[in-house]
Amino acid sequence: MNMKKFAAILLSIMMMFTLSARAEENETTGTEAAPEGSKILVAYFSATNNTEGVAQKLAEGLGADLYEIMPEVPYTDADLNYGNSKSRSSVEMDDPSARPAISGAVEHMEQYDIVFIGYPIWWGEAPRIMSTFIESYDFSGKTIVAFCTSASSGFGRSDAALREAAPDAVWLEGHRFAASVSADDVMAWANGLALNLLGKTASTVYFTSDISAEGMLTVFEALGWTPTGNVAVKLSTGEPPASNYLRPELIKDVV
């Protein structure tokens, strides 16, 4: 296979890696349809707006819904005085059973497959209001990913109590961010998670001859597909012997 032909194939793959197809199974085109895409929620508590910035970048990058966990009684500067053992935050964190009330609720939580939860680190843990949030819904079968913000503390086991409150959820490893983290770094982390978004949203499309990116788009249009996310593509190289498809090791995670 000459370099021009190979380059055309790779260009097609790169183009299609940014697209998604949702369609019924079509035997004549060799298309294997997948389930409808995952619905993602980014829920966060932010006492000083640091976590809010990260949550916004994450939600925007993932095309997710955003929900702010707001305390029924807002925290004042005095409440957040960590140096005062009698401040509201100190008293709450000293009591594992404390459950600060939340104002409002997530509408139709059942629609979400993946839930990111964000919070600041307080005394090495998630604030007690996060336990209130987790205990307010049924997360059975959902994937939960925690993230936190702090000036210096690591993520550690900050989500330990939350995991215990939702044992039937699938918990992925969390991450700590600095408040100044860039959107690119946030998304680099999110894209590296084992969320199986491709498995939930993509179709694998088989073509029996070389085709340009423009040609693929024409096929999608003819089938009435709606590009919204990611698609895995296997293209014919026209090379013998048995398999005429571009070898998976050449396109790695695309297939």
Side-chain angles (χ1 to χ4, degrees):
M1 180 173 62
N2 60 43
M3 290 301 296
K4 183 176 180 181
K5 185 177 181 181
F6 185 70
I9 294 174
L10 291 184
L11 176 60
S12 298
I13 293 170
M14 291 173 66
M15 288 285 291
M16 293 316 306
F17 192 62
T18 63
L19 299 175
S20 174
R22 291 186 298 177
E24 297 295 325
E25 180 156 344
N26 189 317
E27 295 181 357
T28 61
T29 60
T31 304
E32 181 183 329
E36 184 151 348
S38 299
K39 184 78 171 177
I40 306 174
L41 175 69
V42 177
Y44 70 95
F45 165 66
S46 189
T48 59
N49 299 324
N50 289 332
T51 306
E52 180 177 56
V54 178
Q56 290 174 339
K57 292 168 185 170
L58 181 61
E60 182 176 354
L62 292 173
D65 291 342
L66 187 64
Y67 174 76
E68 182 178 4
I69 301 168
M70 300 183 66
E72 193 170 271
V73 179
Y75 288 88
T76 66
D77 290 341
D79 291 336
L80 300 174
N81 184 355
Y82 309 139
N84 181 356
S85 62
K86 295 183 179 180
S87 72
R88 177 183 170 189
S89 57
S90 296
V91 171
E92 288 177 355
M93 297 309 295
D94 194 44
D95 179 7
S97 67
R99 295 294 183 270
I102 293 174
S103 176
V106 176
E107 294 185 0
H108 306 298
M109 176 63 88
E110 69 279 359
Q111 70 181 306
Y112 296 105
D113 305 294
I114 300 169
V115 181
F116 286 83
I117 54 172
Y119 50 84
I121 288 286
W122 286 5
W123 286 267
E125 299 181 65
R128 300 298 182 214
I129 195 170
M130 296 305 298
S131 293
T132 307
F133 176 78
I134 291 294
E135 293 171 3
S136 297
Y137 305 95
D138 181 7
F139 288 95
S140 300
K142 298 184 186 297
T143 297
I144 303 179
V145 191
F147 64 94
C148 68
T149 56
S150 72
S152 59
S153 299
F155 184 85
R157 298 186 69 252
S158 65
D159 63 347
L162 307 181
R163 287 173 177 255
E164 291 179 5
D168 295 324
V170 178
W171 287 83
L172 300 187
E173 184 176 354
H175 190 76
R176 172 260 175 192
F177 293 103
S180 59
V181 66
S182 69
D184 286 344
D185 286 344
V186 170
M187 289 311 300
W189 165 70
N191 290 331
L193 294 170
L195 291 176
N196 195 29
L197 291 177
L198 274 176
K200 288 181 174 291
T201 65
S203 298
T204 300
V205 183
Y206 298 89
F207 293 98
T208 57
S209 61
D210 295 333
I211 188 169
S212 67
E214 292 78 7
M216 292 182 192
L217 291 175
T218 300
V219 171
F220 289 166
E221 182 178 354
L223 292 174
W225 290 4
T226 304
T228 58
N230 300 293
V231 64
V233 179
K234 293 183 180 180
L235 295 177
S236 167
T237 62
E239 294 180 324
S243 175
N244 287 330
Y245 297 113
L246 191 62
R247 296 191 303 277
E249 63 267 25
L250 296 181
I251 54 179
K252 299 180 179 178
D253 294 336
V254 177
V255 175

